[in-house]
Amino acid sequence: MSRSPSLPRRTSDEYVFPQPDAEGIARVQEIYLNKCDKTLSEAEAREVLSRVMRYLYLLNFTCSTTVSTPENPTTTAR
């Protein structure tokens, strides 16, 4: 049974998550309006963007703490 990599045990106070700014919130509102025909309030757009930013932050953190693997010669440019 293989185990997926896990984050180091840290409290939430040890993570400094990026925070959405006004431009990002406005862009999320625009995307939802144009793509989904749905109007989001500023609070809803902030929550959506916050979740995406936390996910990307933690995904990047997990990837940056794993041991590097050799490059695949079939996908590496020569």
Side-chain angles (χ1 to χ4, degrees):
M1 182 168 125
S2 66
R3 290 184 62 179
S4 60
S6 61
L7 292 173
R9 298 204 181 274
R10 295 183 183 201
T11 64
S12 60
D13 295 336
E14 293 181 83
Y15 291 106
V16 179
F17 292 115
Q19 298 298 313
D21 62 1
E23 181 181 348
I25 292 167
R27 183 73 177 122
V28 168
Q29 289 174 312
E30 180 184 333
I31 290 169
Y32 266 76
L33 185 59
N34 293 338
K35 300 289 183 183
C36 304
D37 199 29
K38 181 177 180 183
T39 303
L40 292 183
S41 69
E42 185 176 324
E44 291 170 323
R46 177 183 298 278
E47 181 62 27
V48 168
L49 187 54
S50 293
R51 288 177 185 223
V52 170
M53 292 171 76
R54 284 192 302 267
Y55 172 78
L56 292 174
Y57 177 85
L58 291 172
L59 180 67
N60 187 46
F61 181 81
T62 303
C63 291
S64 68
T65 59
T66 58
V67 177
S68 295
T69 56
E71 293 178 347
N72 182 344
T74 60
T75 59
T76 305
R78 293 185 181 179

